[in-house]
């Protein structure tokens, strides 16, 4: 009989070595770039995310809690970017991240007695399944996604556009098209926010953050989202989890009349689809949790709306599908006379969808502007990168 704990440790060590060695040997990143990236993930994403997860009181085993904390931290990091950009004329860039970090550490310290809950049942076959798919997706993201985009000039127009969005967000907010000064950038670009923010803080170049290092981000987000949904649905059987992971992450789906594989989206041109898809899963899971609760829970409501906000900004078509699902659930709550849940979720999600669609994505611009509007008023230069 095999020792699950030893296998989990071995897989974890193997993933760390795979990531570090491939970043050094295959993509030729420097030790500083890798260390800065990992520190950013721990200090500005995992710690705030773990604090938020503790506040929400969702009890998960260690691997699942790690993934869920990362996803919440990713969402918080997007809001953090907007806060920093809104106050950059008054505060140094490090002030708001430092405040959020300190608050997070205080929350974690105060709830340290709850840690034993999350260690429980961590050495199980279902947790081993989650860890195994993390390792598999990391391998695929490094050697399919990142390696296929290593020559950025040959990666395709869409990928260049996506990287340029990160440059735009770095240069200023509201963002402008990189080579069209004075022309606002309206798009679902939230998958670029963390890249731009990290570049501002660390000066690690955007190419490294968008191609090799991004493989770790998208792996944790995708696998963690599916795992979180399965935990909320109380699916603990390792074989069922493996089947669902394979079905969702490694098989094909139909889009209109054209066969479009998840491999194509996730591994070759995610373009925000990976982040939007992952957050869509988490939003659905949080909404399901509220669906099964008799009373409105503010500790579930706040992260649900935050996740939906970032999901809508990462890939708005995903959020539009979720809007229909939310409407059906809110209608059910109205029938059951659960008015607090129905109106608070329904109106807030609807308002969030409209706000993100018009203010960030630019739905109003698409409807109103003509080709006469697009005039160049200057150019950004490569020196601004």
């Amino acid at each position: 009989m095999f020792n699950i704990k030893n296998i989990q440790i071995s897989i974890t060590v193997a993933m760390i070595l795979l990531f570090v060695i491939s970043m050094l040997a295959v993509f030729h990143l420097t030790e500083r770039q890798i260390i800065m990236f990992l520190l950013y993930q721990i200090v500005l994403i995992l710690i705030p995310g773990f604090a938020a997860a503790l506040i929400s009181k969702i009890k998960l085993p260690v691997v699942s809690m790690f993934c869920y904390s990362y996803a919440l931290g990713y969402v918080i990091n997007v809001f953090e970017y907007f806060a920093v950009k809104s106050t950059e004329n008054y505060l140094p860039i490090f002030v708001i991240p430092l405040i959020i970090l300190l608050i997070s550490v205080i929350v974690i310290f105060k709830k340290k007695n709850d840690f034993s809950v999350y260690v429980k049942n961590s050495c199980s076959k279902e947790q081993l399944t989650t860890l195994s798919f993390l390792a598999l997706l990391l391998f695929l993201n490094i050697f399919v996604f990142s390696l296929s985009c290593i020559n950025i000039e040959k990666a395709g127009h869409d990928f260049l556009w996506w990287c340029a969005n990160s440059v735009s967000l770095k240069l200023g907010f509201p963002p402008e098209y990189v080579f069209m000064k004075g022309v606002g950038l309206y798009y679902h670009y939230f998958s670029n926010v963390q890249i731009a923010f990290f570049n501002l803080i660390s000066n690690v170049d955007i190419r490294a953050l968008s191609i090799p290092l991004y493989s770790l981000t998208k792996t944790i987000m995708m696998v963690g989202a599916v795992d979180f949904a399965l935990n909320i649905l109380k699916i603990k059987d390792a074989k069922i989890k493996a089947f669902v992971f394979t079905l969702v992450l490694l098989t094909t789906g139909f889009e209109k009349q054209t066969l479009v594989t998840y491999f194509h989206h996730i591994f070759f041109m995610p373009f925000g689809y990976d982040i939007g898809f992952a957050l869509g899963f988490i939003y659905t899971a949080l909404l399901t949790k509220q669906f099964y609760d008799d009373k409105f829970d503010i500790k579930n409501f706040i992260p649900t709306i935050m996740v939906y906000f970032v999901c809508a900004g990462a890939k708005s078509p995903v959020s539009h599908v979720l809007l229909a699902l939310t409407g059906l659930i809110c209608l059910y709550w109205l029938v059951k006379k659960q008015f607090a849940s129905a109106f608070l979720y329904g109106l807030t999600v609807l308002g969030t969808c409209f706000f993100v669609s018009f203010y960030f994505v630019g739905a109003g611009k698409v409807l109103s502007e003509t080709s006469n509007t697009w005039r160049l008023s200057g150019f950004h230069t490569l020196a601004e990168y």
Side-chain angles (χ1 to χ4, degrees):
M1 184 175 178
F2 56 85
N3 187 309
I4 292 178
K5 183 176 181 180
N6 289 339
I7 295 176
Q8 288 179 326
I9 294 172
S10 299
I11 293 175
T12 303
V13 172
M15 282 194 292
I16 294 171
L17 291 175
L18 171 66
F19 181 76
V20 173
I21 292 173
S22 63
M23 295 302 109
L24 290 170
V26 179
F27 300 100
H28 307 294
L29 301 188
T30 66
E31 290 85 351
R32 177 189 175 277
Q33 288 176 317
I34 298 170
I35 292 171
M36 290 295 293
F37 176 77
L38 293 177
L39 283 175
Y40 184 93
Q41 305 305 303
I42 295 169
V43 174
L44 293 184
I45 295 181
L46 269 176
I47 292 178
F50 184 48
L54 289 174
I55 292 172
S56 67
K57 294 185 176 180
I58 295 178
K59 296 176 175 59
L60 299 167
V62 169
V63 178
S64 300
M65 176 56 76
F66 166 82
C67 293
Y68 180 54
S69 298
Y70 186 90
L72 285 184
Y74 185 99
V75 169
I76 292 170
N77 203 235
V78 172
F79 283 90
E80 202 170 323
Y81 165 84
F82 293 129
V84 166
K85 279 297 183 180
S86 299
T87 58
E88 63 181 348
N89 292 330
Y90 316 102
L91 295 173
I93 191 173
F94 64 85
V95 172
I96 290 177
L98 183 60
I99 291 172
I100 292 176
L101 177 62
L102 290 174
I103 293 173
S104 301
V105 170
I106 292 170
V107 169
I108 293 171
F109 180 77
K110 286 187 175 180
K111 293 184 176 291
K112 63 181 183 298
N113 294 330
D114 297 339
F115 288 4
S116 60
V117 175
Y118 306 106
V119 178
K120 186 180 180 181
N121 297 325
S122 292
C123 296
S124 63
K125 289 184 179 180
E126 63 99 5
Q127 284 289 280
L128 179 59
T129 301
T130 302
L131 197 60
S132 298
F133 272 88
L134 277 169
L136 175 60
L137 263 291
L138 180 61
F139 178 87
L140 290 173
N141 278 317
I142 290 174
F143 292 105
V144 178
F145 165 73
S146 297
L147 203 57
S148 67
C149 298
I150 192 168
N151 188 334
I152 194 169
E153 288 76 17
K154 295 181 180 180
H157 174 269
D158 285 347
F159 188 79
L160 291 170
W161 169 279
W162 184 71
C163 292
N165 289 346
S166 297
V167 176
S168 297
L169 289 163
K170 169 200 172 179
L171 294 177
F173 188 85
E176 299 175 350
Y177 282 101
V178 174
F179 295 110
M180 300 171 71
K181 185 175 288 186
V183 177
L185 173 63
Y186 293 96
Y187 200 68
H188 30 227
Y189 49 68
F190 282 17
S191 63
N192 301 99
V193 167
Q194 187 198 74
I195 295 171
F197 193 28
F198 181 41
N199 175 265
L200 284 170
I201 290 175
S202 67
N203 205 33
V204 173
D205 72 89
I206 285 176
R207 181 183 177 278
L209 294 171
S210 301
I211 302 176
L213 296 173
Y214 186 67
S215 60
L216 182 64
T217 299
K218 68 204 301 288
T219 295
I220 300 174
M221 291 293 289
M222 291 294 299
V223 178
V226 179
D227 177 74
F228 178 70
L230 292 172
N231 274 285
I232 293 297
L233 294 173
K234 301 186 185 304
I235 296 175
K236 303 295 183 182
D237 186 88
K239 292 181 181 178
I240 296 177
K241 288 193 74 170
F243 172 77
V244 174
F245 276 128
T246 303
L247 183 68
V248 174
L249 300 175
L250 301 173
T251 57
T252 62
F254 286 92
E255 183 176 279
K256 294 183 180 179
Q257 309 251 329
T258 306
L259 182 66
V260 179
T261 65
Y262 288 122
F263 269 89
H264 171 75
H265 281 297
I266 297 171
F267 300 120
F268 292 102
M269 189 56 255
F271 208 51
Y273 172 81
D274 44 4
I275 302 300
F277 184 84
L279 293 177
F281 254 85
I282 294 174
Y283 171 80
T284 303
L286 290 170
L287 193 65
T288 301
K289 181 178 181 297
Q290 180 63 72
F291 178 78
Y292 287 119
D293 291 342
D294 294 330
K295 295 181 179 180
F296 174 79
D297 184 3
I298 188 67
K299 291 180 179 179
N300 191 78
F301 175 76
I302 293 175
T304 303
I305 300 304
M306 291 177 67
V307 166
Y308 183 82
F309 177 89
V310 179
C311 174
K315 205 66 178 176
S316 58
V318 176
S319 68
H320 296 161
V321 174
L322 297 176
L323 190 63
L325 172 65
T326 307
L328 291 174
I329 292 177
C330 289
L331 183 61
Y332 172 85
W333 282 331
L334 283 174
V335 173
K336 291 293 183 178
K337 297 183 179 180
Q338 297 179 6
F339 297 118
S341 296
F343 284 108
L344 285 171
Y345 274 93
L347 294 176
T348 307
V349 170
L350 183 63
T352 300
C353 182
F354 273 98
F355 175 70
V356 173
S357 295
F358 280 85
Y359 184 77
F360 295 100
V361 181
K365 297 286 182 181
V366 173
L367 293 173
S368 64
E369 291 190 348
T370 67
S371 58
N372 291 330
T373 308
W374 301 92
R375 296 193 181 94
L376 298 181
S377 57
F379 291 94
H380 286 299
T381 66
L382 291 175
E384 293 179 277
Y385 283 33

